[in-house]
Amino acid sequence: MAISLRRFVQGDEHALVSLLNNAQVQRFLSPKIPYPYTEADASWWVREGAQSEHIYAIEHDNELIGCISATVGQFEYAKSAEVGYWLGQPYWHQGFASEALQQLLNKLAHGTDLLRLHAVVFAGNKASQALLARCGFVLEGQLRQAIVKQGQRFDGLIYGLLLDDIR
């Protein structure tokens, strides 16, 4: 079940459109990811959106299967980063997300001076909650009605990890 993390490249657009035009994949994603997801969205993502330092395509058997990232904060949060990820539905429940998150944690723990990571997940996203717990994140709190998507309000659960705990 080997996966790798790599930069997004031209040619990933078709897989992005295919994977992200799935209501189940989109269900717990940030509304900043458009739905429906178009070729133009994918072209922009590959050309510009994915150019930040810690944004990676998740690849398995030479196929794009998802995305994982760490967005570094600013000012007093410059030593912290927010982790986000998604996988295409055909790749769920196979250990790919755990492996991708472990690889990202290793890159960040041993290749940066970041101190902590956090992730905010929809309260109903049990799979993501379990993934974060398996990878050492601790539930730190509940952000009541912090997420608004398609006119609905959701609680966000914030999970945190101190990178010194894995260095």
Side-chain angles (χ1 to χ4, degrees), residues 17 21 25 29 34 68 88 108 123 138 149:
V17 170
N21 275 316
V25 171
L29 291 184
I68 192 163
L108 298 174
V138 175
K149 183 171 180 174

Side-chain angles (χ1 to χ4, degrees), residues 28-158:
F28 294 122
L29 291 184
S30 166
K32 70 183 170 190
I33 299 174
Y35 184 74
Y37 197 82
T38 66
E39 287 284 340
D41 295 325
S43 293
W44 174 86
W45 177 251
V46 168
R47 201 176 55 256
E48 295 178 43
Q51 297 308 309
S52 295
E53 184 177 7
H54 304 295
I55 296 177
Y56 301 100
I58 304 169
E59 186 175 78
H60 173 66
D61 287 341
N62 297 315
E63 286 187 43
L64 173 69
I65 66 169
C67 177
I68 192 163
S69 66
T71 304
V72 178
Q74 295 181 5
F75 306 109
E76 67 270 25
Y77 300 108
K79 299 294 182 189
S80 297
E82 181 174 4
V83 173
Y85 43 82
W86 62 265
L87 280 180
Q89 190 172 12
Y91 307 101
W92 291 359
H93 310 296
Q94 298 176 53
F96 295 127
S98 293
E99 176 62 25
L101 185 52
Q102 289 294 349
Q103 286 188 31
L104 179 67
L105 295 177
N106 187 53
K107 284 178 179 288
L108 298 174
H110 302 291
T112 73
D113 62 352
L114 291 171
L115 299 175
R116 72 173 263 115
L117 303 175
H118 69 274
V120 180
V121 298
F122 286 71
N125 190 344
K126 301 298 184 197
S128 193
Q129 293 168 44
L131 168 66
L132 290 166
R134 271 194 312 277
C135 291
F137 284 74
V138 175
L139 178 62
E140 295 182 334
Q142 181 172 348
L143 305 170
R144 296 180 304 143
Q145 298 184 18
I147 301 169
V148 177
K149 183 171 180 174
Q150 297 173 335
Q152 292 186 290
R153 295 179 280 185
F154 301 90
D155 290 354
L157 301 177
I158 188 161

